[in-house]
Amino acid sequence: MRQTILAVLSLSTLAALLTGCGGDMVLLNSKGPVGQGQGSLMMTAIYLMLLVVIPSIIMALWFGWKYRASNKDADYKPTWAHSTTIEIVVWGVPVIIIGILAWLTWWGSHKYDPYRPLESDKAPLTIQAIAEQFKWVFIYPEQNIGTVNEIRFPVKTPLSFKITSNFTMNSFFIPQLGGQIYAMAGMQTHLHLLADEPGIFRGISANYSGYGFSQMRFMAHGVTDAEFAQWVEAVKAGNGTSINPEAIQKGTLDQAELATLRDGNRSKHQIEVLIAKAKTPEEKQAAEEMKSYPTAPHPVTYYSSVEPKLFESVINQYMSNYHGADHSASSADHTTDVEHATASTEE
């Protein structure tokens, strides 16, 4: 009995430490209506399930104590076989809870559908996100600027993210603002978020995508309307470092510049293996000329302008034979219907 109590206490202590007791529990510290709603749904589901879990644990301990071998006063009914009351409780309560959870799931799936625009008096700010090789590239089509590994937006303004990938499949996720959604090559997904208060929120990829996966993180800055306008003007003027001295300011983000962001061929370990297993001098030379993936996140970079339809062209290069048309050569010359490549239809 003593060993059991010690084991339970040890596991409870470990669980508290692993869940970050007293730390930054971002999923339960949401700063936007979407994150708050999803967190509320999660906690409601946990509370409902505890209505079964807690009584079950208490009864298991109580039955073990009451019917222990040393208790000679415990009831002994060797012919007992059925109790209608017990059957109603053990089947009825779970059925009711499952019914409530099913309704909450249906309601929450529609209420917090990532494709559903948020209700607001303000017009949404569109941000196009591209999952590049272990970094995030962002385009502001209305402001005609671009960034790498950083976004800024005014608080209390709906954010309309259009997301794709120019690399492997990733998952766009700002935990304190709302749920995640996948970024896939040749497809466009959508996500609507909103920040209720100023702050700096961590953004990550929630889908493992290779050796440089740990570098796929960015910072999302929620600022005032005036601060956002000031930042946009500074970036457009080529002076974004006046807002963020640690950033790098560049000119135009176009196809050529986007290609330079693909900084690496293999991990250092993979290149070493290729060199060791090379069977010809040519194979060895090719392996030695490979660049290894960086071991630190790509620095925050600002672009004062963006090539027109760059986001659409990234999608279309994977859809070159879609419906028999070659979009890759003409994506910059005419407007393409990107919605054919979306993973779902926007409401």
Side-chain angles (χ1 to χ4, degrees):
M1 186 66 178
R2 181 182 177 184
Q3 292 178 341
T4 302
I5 294 175
L6 289 174
V8 171
L9 290 175
S10 299
L11 290 173
S12 300
T13 302
L14 181 61
L17 292 174
L18 291 176
T19 54
C21 185
D24 186 14
M25 300 173 65
V26 293
L27 290 178
L28 299 180
N29 186 27
S30 301
K31 301 301 182 182
V34 178
Q36 291 170 0
Q38 293 174 342
S40 177
L41 280 175
M42 180 176 65
M43 295 309 301
T44 300
I46 291 175
Y47 295 146
L48 285 170
M49 289 184 285
L50 287 178
L51 292 177
V52 172
V53 174
I54 292 177
S56 298
I57 293 174
I58 293 174
M59 287 189 292
L61 296 173
W62 178 61
F63 289 163
W65 174 257
K66 180 177 180 179
Y67 296 104
R68 66 193 185 280
S70 61
N71 185 11
K72 305 302 181 182
D73 296 328
D75 296 335
Y76 179 63
K77 298 180 180 180
T79 60
W80 182 88
H82 178 76
S83 170
T84 302
T85 302
I86 292 177
E87 292 291 335
I88 291 175
V89 172
V90 299
W91 288 102
V93 173
V95 166
I96 293 173
I97 292 176
I98 290 173
I100 297 174
L101 288 173
W103 182 83
L104 284 174
T105 301
W106 179 88
W107 177 82
S109 297
H110 289 80
K111 175 68 174 179
Y112 302 109
D113 179 2
Y115 281 67
R116 179 177 180 175
L118 300 178
E119 297 179 0
S120 175
D121 295 333
K122 294 185 176 181
L125 171 66
T126 300
I127 302 178
Q128 298 168 337
I130 303 173
E132 253 297 345
Q133 187 185 60
F134 310 128
K135 61 184 66 66
W136 289 97
V137 179
F138 300 100
I139 298 172
Y140 292 73
E142 297 161 358
Q143 288 74 26
N144 192 34
I145 61 174
T147 67
V148 175
N149 283 350
E150 181 186 283
I151 54 174
R152 291 177 186 256
F153 49 83
V155 298
K156 299 187 183 300
T157 296
L159 306 177
S160 175
F161 287 97
K162 297 183 178 181
I163 304 165
T164 190
S165 175
N166 196 29
F167 189 46
T168 61
M169 185 170 73
N170 281 274
S171 181
F172 182 85
F173 191 21
I174 306 178
Q176 281 190 282
L177 297 185
Q180 62 176 316
I181 193 163
Y182 285 104
M184 295 168 282
M187 302 181 72
Q188 174 181 287
T189 52
H190 297 261
L191 181 64
H192 291 87
L193 300 176
L194 185 146
D196 283 330
E197 58 186 68
I200 301 176
F201 315 106
R202 286 184 297 159
I204 61 173
S205 171
N207 186 81
Y208 180 73
S209 55
Y211 278 92
F213 164 73
S214 60
Q215 314 306 332
M216 285 205 68
R217 53 184 186 267
F218 63 93
M219 303 308 295
H221 297 254
V223 298
T224 64
D225 290 348
E227 290 172 333
F228 176 72
Q230 180 185 7
W231 174 73
V232 170
E233 289 302 319
V235 173
K236 290 175 71 71
N239 192 29
T241 54
S242 63
I243 306 297
N244 182 0
E246 297 180 357
I248 298 173
Q249 176 72 57
K250 290 190 176 183
T252 301
L253 175 61
D254 53 18
Q255 289 284 3
E257 176 65 21
L258 191 65
T260 66
L261 296 177
R262 190 64 64 87
D263 51 358
N265 306 102
R266 298 285 191 279
S267 71
K268 181 179 179 182
H269 172 70
Q270 287 175 318
I271 294 175
E272 290 174 349
V273 171
L274 289 174
I275 294 174
K277 292 186 176 181
K279 296 180 179 180
T280 65
E282 290 77 13
E283 289 182 357
K284 184 177 181 180
Q285 181 180 357
E288 290 174 340
E289 292 176 352
M290 289 183 178
K291 293 173 57 180
S292 62
Y293 294 142
T295 56
H298 191 281
V300 173
T301 307
Y302 298 146
Y303 293 95
S304 57
S305 62
V306 180
E307 176 185 306
K309 302 297 180 182
L310 179 62
F311 180 78
E312 290 81 355
S313 68
V314 170
I315 296 176
N316 288 336
Q317 67 179 325
Y318 297 95
M319 306 292 289
S320 59
N321 293 319
Y322 186 71
H323 285 180
D326 185 1
H327 298 289
S328 59
S330 58
S331 58
D333 299 329
H334 60 82
T335 302
T336 56
D337 187 3
V338 178
E339 295 305 320
H340 282 300
T342 60
S344 178
T345 56
E346 189 170 5
E347 290 187 12

